[in-house]
Amino acid sequence: AGTAEGVGSVGAEFRMKKILYISTSDPEDKSSGGAQRSRFLYQALRAQGEVYTIIPVSMPSLERVDEDRKIEWICLDRRHTFRWALQRLFNRSFPLLVCPFYARNLPDRLRRDGDFDCVVVRYTQWASYFAAWRIAPLLIDIDDSPIEFYDTVMAPRCRSGLKRSLNRWLLQRWCRWIYRKATGGWIANADQVGAIEGIKLKYLPNLAMPAPEGFTFDREKENFLLTVGYLGYAPNYEGVDQFIEESWPLLHAAKPELSYYVVGKDCPAELKEKWSSVAGVKVLGFVDDLEALYESCLMTVAPVYSGSGTCIKVIESLLRGRICVAAPFALRGIDRMHIQDANGLCEASSSEAFIAKIASYCEQPEQLKMHESNARVFATSYFAYQQFEDAVADVLINLKAV
């Protein structure tokens, strides 16, 4: 990754010697939104210093080392031990809370004081798991707020009001405990920068991989809508289920030529069977050539109503010149002034709004074409890698100045 003028040049003056990066995926992986963010962060860190990467794995048999890339896959868990049983028991009652039960198993070479200028960790839970503050000054890429995830995904499933309140109180205390041990960090939702207690955060926008070379932006469209997302994640499959139940029957009745393609791996079997039985719906699962579907689709749909972070698949759609009709929750973290149809960010706050927006574009192909062009220009400038790299550099510079 190159360095920008201004922040980038200042970052060069304060270039760090060694950065320990704890990620959940290989820096080369770009198969999901989370993996893409990890990849971009790795690139930005490499622009600021020498990066050593640790990737946690669940079993010792998965441990390995890539010396050329300075990456090590490490298993700290010791199965069928007292600590292992305690963590499992703890997670049954408090599934989002992770305690540093295994941190003592971290190799000595990673625990020596002074070996690293800082440690950068993806997600709050992994900062706790590794007790990363004991290694070096800690920076956390919170990305998805555990509190927001609990409020929108887990709390609605909890029948006991007392347990719901207790879980949230404990989660807040746990987050505050972790964040007070950190020197700083980043978050993907600009609205939450000043809202999280105990840590100084900087907005680090989510990015999506750009369209590959040779992508045909003006390819003739086929009459299908497209939703892309990891379908093993409850907010994604629940949103698709709601769209198919509430919006699709009326939309398909009005526009019978339309089809709805759902793409993503690990879809629950019962939902795949349910959706596949609905007229016009095709559940494709994992596909080898996603770009071909983006080229051919009429537009994309993002019916996301819960979760955390920001929706990378919305950005991915815009970068390919495809407008996205999305629930308000799928557009969180994007400045409200930019959320407008003309930018390809078509907000639909109800099932009726989804139907109206999609039907309107079907009937106005010239407007659709104009908004597609605008969407690509907007996404290319607003979700630029240089902005991402500068935000990473800025936090590291401030750390060096402490």
Side-chain angles (χ1 to χ4, degrees):
T3 56
E5 295 180 5
V7 173
S9 61
V10 174
E13 295 177 15
F14 290 95
R15 186 174 175 84
M16 293 193 162
K17 295 178 181 177
K18 291 175 69 176
I19 300 168
L20 180 63
Y21 179 41
I22 299 177
S23 176
T24 55
S25 58
D26 188 306
E28 294 300 315
D29 185 8
K30 51 185 178 181
S31 62
S32 67
Q36 289 177 27
R37 184 177 176 90
S38 296
R39 175 187 172 97
F40 285 124
L41 182 53
Y42 174 77
Q43 293 174 351
L45 291 173
R46 288 190 67 191
Q48 301 303 318
E50 190 174 18
V51 179
Y52 295 75
T53 304
I54 296 296
I55 301 173
V57 292
S58 59
M59 295 184 293
S61 60
L62 299 175
E63 292 185 318
R64 61 190 177 96
V65 177
D66 185 331
E67 294 183 357
D68 291 338
R69 294 192 296 153
K70 300 181 178 66
I71 301 176
E72 187 169 355
W73 286 258
I74 288 182
C75 177
L76 300 188
D77 296 26
R78 299 295 182 266
R79 290 176 175 251
H80 308 298
T81 63
F82 173 74
R83 289 176 182 272
W84 177 80
L86 186 61
Q87 179 70 70
R88 286 173 62 87
L89 181 63
F90 187 77
N91 284 149
R92 285 182 183 178
S93 298
F94 311 106
L96 290 182
L97 272 64
V98 176
C99 293
F101 290 138
Y102 304 115
R104 61 166 56 185
N105 298 331
L106 195 68
D108 288 342
R109 66 183 180 281
L110 298 176
R111 292 194 290 176
R112 288 193 293 267
D113 292 338
D115 274 10
F116 296 98
D117 293 299
C118 72
V119 54
V120 176
V121 185
R122 285 277 282 133
Y123 304 116
T124 307
Q125 287 86 344
W126 290 109
S128 178
Y129 179 86
F130 282 92
W133 56 87
R134 298 176 187 168
I135 301 172
L138 170 62
L139 300 174
I140 305 175
D141 178 31
I142 294 175
D143 189 356
D144 298 337
S145 164
I147 301 294
E148 183 181 41
F149 182 83
Y150 179 79
D151 287 343
T152 62
V153 177
M154 305 192 73
R157 292 171 168 77
C158 186
R159 296 181 180 179
S160 168
L162 178 62
K163 184 177 180 181
R164 186 165 55 245
S165 298
L166 175 61
N167 282 350
R168 193 180 196 282
W169 179 80
L170 285 172
L171 185 60
Q172 284 181 310
R173 300 278 294 184
W174 175 79
C175 285
R176 198 174 302 137
W177 174 67
I178 299 296
Y179 297 152
R180 285 176 177 170
K181 294 179 178 296
T183 304
W186 305 270
I187 196 161
N189 189 333
D191 297 335
Q192 296 175 343
V193 168
I196 295 181
E197 297 180 45
I199 186 171
K200 184 178 180 181
L201 295 172
K202 188 171 184 67
Y203 171 52
L204 187 65
N206 267 331
L207 304 179
M209 299 300 295
E213 187 175 351
F215 185 91
T216 309
F217 292 95
D218 57 354
R219 180 173 173 176
E220 185 176 352
K221 306 289 192 308
E222 298 177 23
N223 283 320
F224 70 88
L225 312 176
L226 178 66
T227 288
V228 180
Y230 174 56
L231 294 175
Y233 183 54
N236 289 342
Y237 65 68
E238 288 175 350
V240 170
D241 193 51
Q242 183 173 331
F243 178 77
I244 290 176
E245 283 192 352
E246 298 180 0
S247 300
W248 180 250
L250 292 175
L251 179 61
H252 192 243
K255 301 288 180 183
E257 70 278 11
L258 278 181
S259 295
Y260 178 42
Y261 291 6
V262 183
V263 173
K265 64 180 182 179
D266 295 339
C267 180
E270 65 276 12
L271 287 178
K272 181 177 181 180
E273 182 179 357
K274 174 186 173 183
W275 300 343
S276 298
S277 68
V278 177
V281 176
K282 295 184 179 181
V283 185
L284 302 182
F286 174 81
V287 296
D288 291 321
D289 192 356
L290 179 59
E291 302 299 340
L293 290 175
Y294 272 124
E295 286 181 338
S296 302
C297 74
L298 199 59
M299 66 193 79
T300 64
V301 180
V304 179
Y305 303 93
S306 63
S308 190
T310 58
C311 194
I312 291 176
K313 292 305 178 183
V314 171
I315 306 168
E316 187 173 89
S317 175
L318 302 189
L319 287 170
R320 282 148 183 78
R322 299 298 174 261
I323 70 163
C324 184
V325 183
F329 197 89
L331 302 176
R332 66 202 181 285
I334 300 174
D335 194 319
R336 292 296 309 176
M337 67 179 291
H338 296 305
I339 299 176
Q340 47 187 290
D341 292 359
N343 285 335
L345 295 168
C346 308
E347 187 175 50
S349 56
S350 66
S351 58
E352 293 79 13
F354 267 106
I355 296 168
K357 293 256 183 184
I358 294 168
S360 175
Y361 278 115
C362 289
E363 295 162 3
Q364 301 180 69
E366 290 304 315
Q367 185 179 59
L368 174 61
K369 187 174 182 179
M370 181 176 65
H371 288 181
E372 286 177 338
S373 177
N374 293 348
R376 185 182 171 197
V377 172
F378 165 73
T380 301
S381 60
Y382 189 78
F383 300 102
Y385 174 74
Q386 193 59 60
Q387 178 189 0
F388 186 98
E389 185 176 294
D390 289 350
V392 172
D394 188 49
V395 171
L396 291 175
I397 291 167
N398 290 335
L399 173 66
K400 198 74 174 177
V402 172

